[in-house]
Amino acid sequence: EVQLVESGGGLVQAGGSLRLSCAASGFTFDDYVIGWFRQVPGKEREGVSCISSSDGSTDNADSVKGRFTISSDNAKNTVYLQMNSLKPEDTAVYYCAAGLARIGTSYCRMGYGMLYWGKGTLVTVSS
């Protein structure tokens, strides 16, 4: 059974940091791209960051460049999103998702071809 389980969300003050984790199981991790997405109720889902598990290439939204870093620990089948200098507008439910590696990180971040999704973890940034 394929599972993506997010953790690490919570409440943090503006300027603070959080690290999200996405633990994957049930598929060959190296054959996939893994992405982080976020959504605020009533708004469209936004692709935040994607990473290729095979070569480590990444693609990041302009809104998080310089603040968020995606990384992968293939030995643990886990992808992380280190979020620094958090802003109130980063408040959202954060989801991780997986798609076949041939999609590439750019299409991953657009949400195309993502096959598996986690249930999400809530990040709240207070001002």
Side-chain angles (χ1 to χ4, degrees):
E1 179 188 4
V2 172
Q3 279 194 316
L4 293 169
V5 179
E6 303 95 337
S7 61
L11 174 64
V12 65
Q13 287 189 332
S17 298
L18 283 174
R19 188 177 80 156
L20 305 183
S21 299
C22 173
S25 60
F27 60 92
T28 304
F29 194 70
D30 290 356
D31 292 342
Y32 284 75
V33 289
I34 309 292
W36 284 99
F37 301 80
R38 64 187 182 186
Q39 190 165 26
V40 175
K43 293 189 176 182
E44 286 191 5
R45 184 184 64 206
E46 177 188 15
V48 175
S49 188
C50 283
I51 187 167
S52 168
S53 301
S54 59
D55 64 14
S57 59
T58 63
D59 189 87
N60 301 284
D62 287 342
S63 59
V64 305
K65 284 180 181 176
R67 300 189 300 123
F68 292 10
T69 302
I70 190 170
S71 62
S72 175
D73 185 337
N74 288 17
K76 295 183 178 180
N77 283 7
T78 301
V79 170
Y80 304 97
L81 186 68
Q82 178 66 45
M83 306 187 295
N84 299 328
S85 302
L86 282 161
K87 304 175 181 179
E89 51 264 43
D90 294 318
T91 295
V93 178
Y94 284 71
Y95 301 89
C96 68
L100 291 173
R102 62 174 179 259
I103 293 170
T105 53
S106 296
Y107 279 104
C108 162
R109 199 170 61 73
M110 288 186 269
Y112 294 149
M114 304 310 286
L115 300 175
Y116 309 116
W117 291 83
K119 294 183 178 179
T121 185
L122 177 62
V123 172
T124 304
V125 184
S126 63
S127 57

